[in-house]
């Protein structure tokens, strides 16, 4: 039986039957083709969105670029304090980090998507809290999001072609909590396919590089978070750790990660 089964699989592949043997089961070629087309559509949309946002945040103004460099050069604590004291506003910080994250993306391929609504969220933060003494603790601080902390209207496909073009209908409660505290989620980062590798790579988004050596990887599964954070592309990012998904990228990218308890 095993020999006949193996020969049948080989014959299917060689003779071009309308089936593909995957783990001994038949899968229609049309299903595979549709997944490939979905990935191609996703990649084009991703590229076009990146280019559009780059044009939005592009500036030749020397003063603007100097301000962005000063913002990105601050530590998390310095950035938070400057926002609380209104030395900076949320829109300025958001645009600085969006600009820098896209520069990092060109070098490392660490972003799945840009959260386009984040521009409006930053403006709303300034409208609501500017001029008020008591602000939420994360007022105006941008943060990056690992894709399984899903965002409404964005894919949570984990690098799997079968889940491309399936935007989530609601937002992860942890993201909602951070937004309540004043944070602004602005980009979604890369992960290995199905979160099951130390190599941050998938057929949907490609391979992410390590900011310290682009011939090496940043680890996984929070590889995009590790690469973007280590390269200065986000003040902080969120992920989760079960078997090292934060600890491994932190180690490989030279970062510290913190896993808080419930208490």
């Amino acid at each position: 039986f095993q020999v006949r089964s193996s020969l049948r699989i080989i014959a299917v592949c060689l003779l071009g039957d309308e089936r593909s043997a995957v783990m001994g089961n038949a899968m229609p070629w049309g299903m595979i083709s549709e997944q490939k087309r979905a990935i191609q559509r996703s990649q084009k949309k991703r590229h076009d969105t990146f280019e559009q946002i780059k044009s939005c945040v592009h500036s030749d103004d020397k003063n603007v670029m100097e301000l962005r460099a000063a913002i990105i050069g601050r530590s998390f604590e310095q950035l938070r304090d400057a926002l609380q004291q209104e030395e900076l506003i949320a829109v300025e910080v958001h645009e600085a980090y969006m600009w820098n994250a896209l520069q990092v993306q060109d070098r490392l391929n660490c972003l799945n998507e840009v959260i386009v609504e984040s521009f409006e969220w930053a403006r709303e933060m300034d409208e609501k809290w500017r001029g008020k003494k008591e602000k939420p603790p994360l007022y105006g601080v941008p943060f990056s999001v690992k894709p399984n902390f899903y965002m409404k209207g964005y894919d949570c496909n984990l690098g799997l072609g079968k889940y491309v073009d399936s935007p989530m209908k609601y937002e992860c409660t942890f993201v909602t909590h951070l937004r309540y505290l004043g944070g602004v989620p602005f980009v979604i980062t890369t992960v290995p396919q199905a979160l099951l590798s130390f190599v941050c790579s998938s057929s949907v988004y490609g391979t992410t590089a390590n900011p310290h050596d682009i011939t090496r990887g940043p680890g996984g599964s929070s590889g995009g978070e590790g690469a973007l954070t280590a390269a200065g592309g986000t003040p902080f990012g969120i992920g989760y750790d079960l078997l090292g998904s934060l600890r491994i990228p932190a180690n490989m990218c030279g970062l510290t990660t913190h896993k808080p308890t419930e208490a």
Side-chain angles (χ1 to χ4, degrees):
F1 173 79
Q2 290 178 340
V3 173
R4 287 198 300 271
S5 178
S6 299
L7 290 174
R8 181 178 179 277
I9 290 173
I10 294 170
V12 167
C13 294
L14 292 178
L15 296 177
D17 194 346
E18 294 182 354
R19 292 166 293 181
S20 172
V22 178
M23 296 182 67
N25 295 323
M27 178 184 290
W29 280 115
M31 185 182 298
I32 297 174
S33 297
E34 177 53 36
Q35 289 178 10
K36 288 181 178 179
R37 287 193 293 270
I39 290 172
Q40 290 169 353
R41 290 194 300 269
S42 174
Q43 290 172 340
K44 183 180 186 304
K45 179 183 176 182
R46 177 182 181 234
H47 174 268
D48 291 347
T49 302
F50 285 164
E51 292 303 311
Q52 179 184 0
I53 299 301
K54 280 181 188 178
S55 66
C56 289
V57 297
H58 173 76
S59 178
D60 292 321
D61 188 312
K62 181 180 178 182
N63 292 330
V64 170
M65 298 309 293
E66 288 179 352
L67 176 61
R68 288 179 179 178
I71 290 171
I72 295 164
R74 293 173 183 256
S75 67
F76 172 83
E77 292 82 2
Q78 291 170 339
L79 181 65
R80 178 199 60 201
D81 292 347
L83 283 161
Q84 291 289 324
Q85 297 163 15
E86 297 191 3
E87 296 171 12
L88 297 169
I89 61 174
V91 167
E92 292 172 336
V93 175
H94 173 265
E95 290 186 355
Y97 270 99
M98 183 66 79
W99 170 82
N100 196 42
L102 289 169
Q103 305 303 307
V104 174
Q105 161 62 20
D106 284 344
R107 187 165 67 95
L108 304 180
N109 187 42
C110 56
L111 303 183
N112 283 1
E113 298 188 73
V114 164
I115 302 171
V116 295
E117 295 87 350
S118 61
F119 287 89
E120 182 61 27
W121 294 339
R123 285 192 290 269
E124 290 173 354
M125 278 288 164
D126 284 333
E127 291 172 1
K128 184 175 182 179
W129 296 107
R130 195 174 182 186
K132 295 184 179 180
K133 185 176 180 180
E134 297 294 330
K135 298 179 177 64
L138 293 178
Y139 159 67
V141 178
F143 65 93
S144 50
V145 180
K146 187 175 180 178
N148 55 319
F149 290 89
Y150 37 85
M151 298 293 301
K152 182 179 180 180
Y154 293 85
D155 276 1
C156 180
N157 59 56
L158 306 182
L160 297 169
K162 65 185 294 185
Y163 297 126
V164 168
D165 289 339
S166 301
M168 301 301 294
K169 296 181 180 180
Y170 46 91
E171 180 180 272
C172 173
T173 54
F174 185 48
V175 174
T176 302
H177 178 63
L178 291 175
R179 290 184 61 195
Y180 172 77
L181 295 176
V184 180
F186 75 116
V187 292
I188 300 172
T189 52
T190 54
V191 293
Q193 187 166 296
L195 307 176
L196 295 175
S197 176
F198 297 158
V199 179
C200 191
S201 182
S202 74
S203 59
V204 179
Y205 300 111
T207 301
T208 300
N210 190 303
H212 303 295
D213 182 350
I214 61 172
T215 67
R216 300 176 184 272
S221 63
S222 306
E225 288 293 332
L228 183 66
T229 305
T234 182
F236 76 97
I238 59 173
Y240 80 99
D241 189 306
L242 182 63
L243 297 172
S245 292
L246 288 172
R247 287 166 288 171
I248 293 167
N251 180 270
M252 296 180 74
C253 294
L255 299 170
T256 296
T257 185
H258 178 60
K259 184 177 181 180
T261 65
E262 294 183 5

